[in-house]
Amino acid sequence: MEMQATGKSKGEWIFHGEFHETIDYLSDHVRLLGFNPFCHKVEKTDRDNIYKWHFRVTDPQNNPFDVLFYIEETQELLVTLPEEYHGTDPETLPDDIINRHTIGRKITWSHYPWEEDVDDPKNYIFEGKAFAEMIVTPHKPSQTLVDFDLKIDVSFRLYPAFRIIPEHIIRSMTNAGMSFIMQSATDKMFKSISRDFGPVQQA
């Protein structure tokens, strides 16, 4: 049976570090995903800002399957300019003006359509699509707030043992289970970061 599953996770986290330190840390895509318990490997491809995620999970019968994601990372400064600068092309503004009125940064991960076929159902390898945003803003002195929102879509084939369960029940169970797994993995990832970066706590 072919299945489409969607998992979501989100949360706000306080990093006990300055804004620029936190941004530098979160920009290390490979290191950050290394704290996700289901992430087997993250590789940078030969294309600018395109990464390959390799996730490995198991079903309730302990049968493994792999999910591959191709992800493009982009970053955007969040700037609130005074009224006197409204209508001005941001590209023409001096760096000191931009820096003075920067209120945060948005890091975005989005699905990148890979030309080659990724799915290999016989070996339980499937392509996933991931979309995430991290809104990073100064919080208090020596603290930075990170608002994280992630959605993952995966199409896969169920093992035969699951085909006796009605399809609508399987779909509901799969989406709920995947969101639970993703939220648990996200929470564990951010808590694990504290071993490397310093104190990180839920807001």
Side-chain angles (χ1 to χ4, degrees), residues 16-35:
H16 288 253
E18 299 292 346
F19 174 71
H20 69 279
E21 295 172 335
T22 306
I23 283 292
D24 288 346
Y25 187 91
L26 295 176
S27 297
D28 190 338
H29 193 121
V30 176
R31 178 170 58 178
L32 185 62
L33 266 293
F35 289 108

Side-chain angles (χ1 to χ4, degrees), residues 17-62:
E18 299 292 346
F19 174 71
H20 69 279
E21 295 172 335
T22 306
I23 283 292
D24 288 346
Y25 187 91
L26 295 176
S27 297
D28 190 338
H29 193 121
V30 176
R31 178 170 58 178
L32 185 62
L33 266 293
F35 289 108
N36 188 300
F38 297 105
C39 185
H40 180 63
K41 183 188 294 186
V42 177
E43 302 173 85
K44 198 172 187 319
T45 70
D46 58 1
R47 303 181 189 183
D48 288 344
N49 302 318
I50 307 298
Y51 297 83
K52 177 183 177 181
W53 298 358
H54 182 174
F55 276 49
R56 180 165 290 162
V57 296
T58 57
D59 70 10
Q61 292 184 320
N62 211 34

Side-chain angles (χ1 to χ4, degrees), residues 3 22 32 41 70 74 83 86 90 100 110 114 133 161:
M3 291 290 299
T22 306
L32 185 62
K41 183 188 294 186
Y70 285 91
T74 57
E83 188 174 338
H86 287 186
R100 192 180 312 152
S110 54
W114 201 250
E133 283 187 353

Side-chain angles (χ1 to χ4, degrees), residues 25 35-36 187-197:
Y25 187 91
F35 289 108
N36 188 300
D187 292 347
K188 186 171 183 179
M189 180 178 77
F190 277 97
K191 289 175 182 175
S192 297
I193 286 171
S194 64
R195 299 196 308 262
D196 192 35
F197 180 84

